[in-house]
Amino acid sequence: MSQTDLEIVVDDPTAPEDDSPSVVSSGTIEIVVCLLLLALAVTFGYDNWRTGASWDATGPEPGYFPFYLCVILGGGSLYGLIVALLAHRAAREVFVTRAQARRVMAVFVPTLLFCLVTQFLGLYVASFLLISGFMRLVGKIALWKSLLTAFVFTAIMFVTFDIAFDVIMPKGPLEAALGR
Amino acid sequence: MEAFGLLLHGFAVLLTWKTLMLMMVGLVLGIFVGVLPGLGGPNGVAILLPLTFTMDPTSAIVMLSCIYWGALFGGAITSILFNIPGEAWSVATTFDGYPMAQQGRAAEALTAAFTSSFIGSLVAVMLITFLAPMISSFALKFGPPEFFAVYLLTFCSFVGLGREAKHKTVISMSLGLLLAGIGMDTVSGQLRMTFGSAELLRGINFLVAVIGLFGISEILLTMEERLALRGHAASISLRVVLSVWKDLPKYWVTLLRSSFIGCWLGITPGGAIAASFMGYNLAKRFAKEPESFGKGRIEGVFAPETAAHASGTSALLPMLALGIPGSGTAAILLGGLMVWGLNPGPLLFVEHKDFVWGLIASMYLGNVVGLALVLTTVPIFASILRVPFAAVAPMIVVSCAIGAYAIQNAMFDIWLMLGFGIVGYVFKKIGIPLAPFTLALVLGNRAEDAFRLSMIGSGGTLKVFWSNGLVGSITTLAIVLLFWPLIDGLLGRVGWRQRGRTATP
């Protein structure tokens, strides 16, 4: 029998406010993305032209196929830019609100730091710091729960990848001190 | 009959304790990622792919495909109990599934969803069993122009039939193809688009891109939204299951129609999203009381789930037979095959019979085991949602980083993953589709090789793509599909005028 009297409820105390002001509109981001893609198409196009984008005795040169892709990408981006510029005047759809941006940064900045720390302290130490720090600081979860979860998860990852499946991850001074 | 014999051989390959255990692990992991908000089939397969790097190809693909089946089953749990479609193809399931849960019929809706998923997948697997060997033996006659024409057909149908703005699909696809060309040119050995960077010599591994595009970007998007959930708990009893199954014959037309739609849209790159909506809309259109849809009608669950799963499964057919993935997940699985040194396409059926038929057998077995598993464990998986997302999010980030690093043992790939995460987040928010990008990144080098070989063979003339009936019809079809919205518009206008003339006295 279904037990519909029981309910699963998960609340989000840090939910973004509905009336948060807009940081940037979708139209502006579309324009920026199209400009970046256009710049990418020009840069890659130049490199392929330099490599050789025509025919020689053996057939198409290495840059032939990618060069024409750059032309298509550039054309698509230019068209997108015009469409975005025309639409930008008409409607201003929100890309991200201030509250949403704060939440995105709350996960993006720790991820960025995690990548940085991985480079110097190794993946497992960085994982432990990311999980415990994120749970404690962003999720406001009890310190002991955060530390325990981070330790158990990192240990499971270590056993799974480094020991069971022999996939060697980047190591730092701690692993070196422990002889691994 | 030959296919049947080979399938039995596949079961013999598959029925070992080790493979069965991996199948169960895959299914559980799959249901887990399917239930978690923000994750789903392609993300789950991409993130968990590194687990399989050291396995033999058959075990690895069995585990990965089971993660996929599990994720498909898991998605229905959140759609019905929480009104949260984990994937876009689950949206149509919420229309009647959630009202059923609100009426206290959650168990009935879940049983209907799981059963119809199973039926849809089963029909598609049967199609794969009988069609794949035929297509692959036909494809053995293909030369470079035919292969390029098929790639072109895939790309053009994405542009012509996709729902997104055409220029956005073109941007996504050309960017993917371009990034696939970074690194050493396979023919001349010359470096392209590396700008002196030693890290870019290897090129951009598509799995790294996929982990960032799907995994990291989903975390950013999920965090951005409100994560308050309120849903119905459900457990399924044998009585409910038997009662839904007893009524199945009543809905045979809906099930068959949705399976057909799903298979068709899976093989052509229409995709599971289009299939689920088309399945739902046609069920509503042909129903005696269409107004009852959206209010908790069981057919409204059967139709989209059958179509979506038939589509998701049959998307593996072009991947196995031609080496062309029909969906994002199929593209990721194809990348996996390449990592294990297998070359998807017609020769796979000749050179790696054990692998292919083991995989097809695992599709049958995985779906049976998956159905039994979800029917018995719904409450456990539904309660996963009680785990705070602040605990789940960093764990997913770590899994993504492990996945990205493990592919080539390069720290640079972790940074690349982060970069693609930002790209994925922005692209998703401004409506640039990611599926064509993934597909292009996977197929880029193959398409270029086929194009260059065709052009070398023809002395540089594009006439080679119309040099015989086969390649000519595929290329023409590709062009028709590319301009399909225009052709459709013109046909519609002509038809409208003619109707106008006949209506005028």
Side-chain angles (χ1 to χ4, degrees):
Chain A
M1 259 317 275
S2 63
Q3 300 162 2
T4 45
D5 50 323
L6 290 172
E7 270 203 329
I8 294 177
V9 179
V10 179
D11 283 324
D12 183 2
T14 58
E17 308 98 55
D18 293 327
D19 57 349
S20 179
S22 166
V23 175
V24 63
S25 73
S26 288
T28 309
I29 295 293
E30 272 193 50
I31 292 167
V32 172
V33 168
C34 286
L35 284 171
L36 285 173
L37 289 171
L38 200 57
L40 191 77
V42 171
T43 315
F44 278 6
Y46 170 74
D47 191 66
N48 285 306
W49 183 260
R50 195 185 48 78
T51 313
S54 53
W55 276 72
D56 63 10
T58 56
E61 287 180 326
Y64 182 86
F65 193 73
F67 177 77
Y68 287 99
L69 287 171
C70 291
V71 173
I72 298 172
L73 178 65
S77 310
L78 203 60
Y79 180 81
L81 183 67
I82 295 165
V83 170
L85 281 169
L86 292 175
H88 194 50
R89 290 180 195 160
R92 289 184 65 84
E93 203 181 316
V94 176
F95 179 78
V96 69
T97 65
R98 196 176 293 166
Q100 287 174 332
R102 211 179 300 132
R103 280 170 65 97
V104 172
M105 282 300 140
V107 68
F108 178 72
V109 173
T111 306
L112 187 75
L113 291 173
F114 162 75
C115 295
L116 207 64
V117 173
T118 300
Q119 200 146 5
F120 301 105
L121 299 181
L123 189 124
Y124 295 110
V125 174
S127 303
F128 176 80
L129 293 174
L130 174 73
I131 297 167
S132 55
F134 196 89
M135 285 177 71
R136 180 73 197 124
L137 301 173
V138 179
K140 313 275 183 238
I141 296 167
L143 183 65
W144 72 270
K145 280 186 191 171
S146 306
L147 291 173
L148 185 68
T149 311
F151 181 77
V152 170
F153 183 79
T154 309
I156 290 172
M157 288 290 117
F158 179 76
V159 170
T160 310
F161 286 97
D162 260 70
I163 297 174
F165 288 94
D166 214 16
V167 184
I168 309 299
M169 290 294 135
K171 303 278 170 38
L174 180 72
E175 287 93 347
L178 293 170
R180 291 214 48 116
Chain B
M1 274 317 285
E2 195 201 348
F4 186 71
L6 289 164
L7 182 64
L8 285 180
H9 173 69
F11 276 108
V13 172
L14 191 70
L15 289 171
T16 63
W17 283 112
K18 188 185 149 207
T19 323
L20 288 175
M21 196 191 74
L22 287 171
M23 186 179 271
M24 288 296 287
V25 172
L27 282 164
V28 172
L29 285 173
I31 300 170
F32 188 76
V33 293
V35 167
L36 281 173
L39 284 182
N43 307 328
V45 174
I47 293 168
L48 297 167
L49 189 69
L51 268 181
T52 63
F53 283 170
T54 51
M55 295 178 188
D56 65 278
T58 311
S59 308
I61 198 79
V62 164
M63 185 165 153
L64 284 179
S65 60
C66 284
I67 291 172
Y68 182 46
W69 313 136
L72 288 174
F73 280 123
I77 298 176
T78 49
S79 296
I80 290 168
L81 297 184
F82 294 87
N83 204 20
I84 300 169
E87 293 283 349
W89 65 66
S90 303
V91 172
T93 310
T94 61
F95 297 163
D96 282 88
Y98 188 65
M100 281 179 80
Q102 283 177 311
Q103 292 159 15
R105 295 159 62 207
E108 199 186 325
L110 285 167
T111 308
F114 298 148
T115 311
S116 49
S117 307
F118 172 76
I119 293 170
S121 293
L122 191 69
V123 173
V125 179
M126 282 162 73
L127 189 82
I128 292 174
T129 310
F130 295 105
L131 273 189
M134 282 159 66
I135 296 174
S136 65
S137 61
F138 175 64
L140 280 172
K141 295 173 190 145
F142 278 26
E146 284 79 8
F147 269 112
F148 181 74
V150 173
Y151 294 133
L152 189 70
L153 178 69
T154 313
F155 297 141
C156 290
S157 50
F158 257 103
V159 178
L161 304 179
R163 291 177 308 138
E164 296 84 3
K166 304 299 169 209
H167 70 279
K168 289 184 176 174
T169 310
V170 170
I171 287 175
S172 172
M173 201 168 276
S174 50
L175 185 65
L177 286 166
L178 204 55
L179 294 187
I182 290 179
M184 196 180 283
D185 174 27
T186 47
V187 177
S188 65
Q190 217 169 322
L191 296 179
R192 302 188 302 189
M193 298 173 278
T194 55
F195 303 100
S197 158
E199 298 286 2
L200 285 176
L201 278 178
R202 286 188 303 265
I204 291 179
N205 187 292
F206 106 94
L207 288 169
V208 175
V210 161
I211 291 172
L213 287 171
F214 289 90
I216 298 293
S217 74
E218 278 297 332
I219 292 293
L220 297 176
L221 278 170
T222 310
M223 270 302 284
E224 185 188 285
E225 290 160 13
R226 185 183 291 270
L227 287 170
L229 308 169
R230 184 172 289 272
H232 301 266
S235 57
I236 300 176
S237 71
L238 188 64
R239 196 179 58 79
V240 176
V241 174
L242 292 177
S243 121
V244 172
W245 286 1
K246 199 181 78 190
D247 289 342
L248 272 180
K250 274 195 230 168
Y251 305 106
W252 71 273
V253 179
T254 305
L255 294 168
L256 204 64
R257 184 177 50 224
S258 295
S259 300
F260 177 76
I261 293 165
C263 288
W264 175 251
L265 290 174
I267 295 168
T268 61
I273 305 165
S276 65
F277 279 101
M278 201 184 279
Y280 184 85
N281 288 337
L282 286 180
K284 190 176 170 180
R285 197 170 181 175
F286 290 112
K288 281 180 186 157
E289 296 162 358
E291 63 283 356
S292 63
F293 274 77
K295 293 173 186 166
R297 191 164 161 151
I298 200 162
E299 264 175 290
V301 176
F302 277 135
E305 282 289 316
T306 310
H309 288 241
S311 169
T313 310
S314 56
L316 298 178
L317 174 63
M319 181 200 91
L320 285 173
L322 298 169
I324 297 166
S327 69
T329 314
I332 298 165
L333 290 175
L334 183 119
L337 296 189
M338 290 170 171
V339 171
W340 306 308
L342 298 172
N343 206 7
L347 281 176
L348 197 66
F349 281 80
V350 181
E351 291 169 353
H352 301 280
K353 274 187 181 164
D354 282 3
F355 167 79
V356 174
W357 290 101
L359 169 63
I360 295 175
S362 85
M363 293 182 188
Y364 284 98
L365 208 57
N367 272 298
V368 176
V369 178
L371 180 67
L373 196 69
V374 282
L375 284 172
T376 48
T377 54
V378 163
I380 301 167
F381 283 107
S383 65
I384 286 170
L385 287 164
R386 289 183 197 185
V387 178
F389 196 67
V392 176
M395 290 181 198
I396 295 173
V397 169
V398 171
S399 308
C400 288
I402 289 176
Y405 181 85
I407 296 161
Q408 300 181 111
N409 287 340
M411 187 62 215
F412 178 72
D413 285 348
I414 294 185
W415 290 108
L416 212 53
M417 168 203 80
L418 188 64
F420 276 108
I422 302 166
V423 171
Y425 170 76
V426 176
F427 275 20
K428 277 177 190 171
K429 291 207 78 173
I430 61 171
I432 297 181
L434 293 182
F437 182 90
T438 316
L439 190 82
L441 205 55
V442 178
L443 294 180
N445 287 328
R446 293 162 150 240
E448 186 182 354
D449 286 349
F451 178 78
R452 280 168 87 167
L453 288 171
S454 310
M455 294 299 269
I456 291 167
S458 71
T461 168
L462 288 171
K463 283 181 189 163
V464 69
F465 299 114
W466 280 274
S467 58
N468 63 55
L470 179 62
V471 70
S473 23
I474 303 173
T475 312
T476 310
L477 184 62
I479 291 168
V480 168
L481 285 180
L482 180 66
F483 294 106
W484 182 248
L486 278 177
I487 297 167
D488 194 34
L490 282 173
L491 288 176
R493 198 174 290 176
V494 171
W496 180 77
R497 274 193 193 151
Q498 274 177 351
R499 274 199 300 276
R501 265 189 224 128
T502 30
T504 315

